[in-house]
Amino acid sequence: RDSPHFARLETAAKARGVRLGNPAQAKAMADAAAVRDEALRPVLLPMVGQSSRAIAKALTDQGVEPPRGGVWSNKTVLRMMARLGLKG
C-alpha cells in the first residue's frame, strides 16, 4: 500500500471521482472521538494555556487512558483540544 504503484492507482481513482475509504466507519470514529473528548473536557479545562507536551504528560501521569493506549502524545492532545475548541 505504501508503494509508488499504489499511490499512482489511488491518485487515478481520486481523479475519476472515486470515494476512497469507508464513510460509515469514518463517521463512527469521529463520533467516538467526540464522546471521548467531551468526557475529558472537565480534566482539560484547568490545563488550558499549558503546552500540549505538558498536558500530555499530565494526562499520562494522572492515569488517563489515551485513545490507542500507551502514553499521551502532544499531537493527540492538540487534535483533541482543537475538536473541543480549546487552546493549549
Side-chain angles (χ1 to χ4, degrees):
R1 292 199 125 179
D2 294 330
S3 72
H5 177 69
F6 181 77
R8 283 192 303 276
L9 292 174
E10 186 177 49
T11 301
K14 285 180 182 178
R16 291 190 312 271
V18 175
R19 287 195 63 184
L20 302 176
N22 181 340
Q25 182 180 10
K27 181 176 179 350
M29 291 174 69
D31 291 347
V35 169
R36 242 188 349 260
D37 295 348
E38 281 302 327
L40 284 173
R41 184 183 290 273
V43 176
L44 294 171
L45 283 175
M47 299 180 196
V48 170
Q50 295 181 32
S51 72
S52 58
R53 288 181 194 270
I55 295 171
K57 183 176 180 335
L59 291 171
T60 299
D61 291 349
Q62 291 176 26
V64 177
E65 186 74 17
R68 295 188 175 191
V71 297
W72 283 89
S73 73
N74 65 313
K75 193 64 174 175
T76 303
V77 169
L78 287 172
R79 288 178 181 144
M80 182 175 50
M81 299 285 274
R83 285 190 300 263
L84 289 171
L86 303 174
K87 298 205 179 223

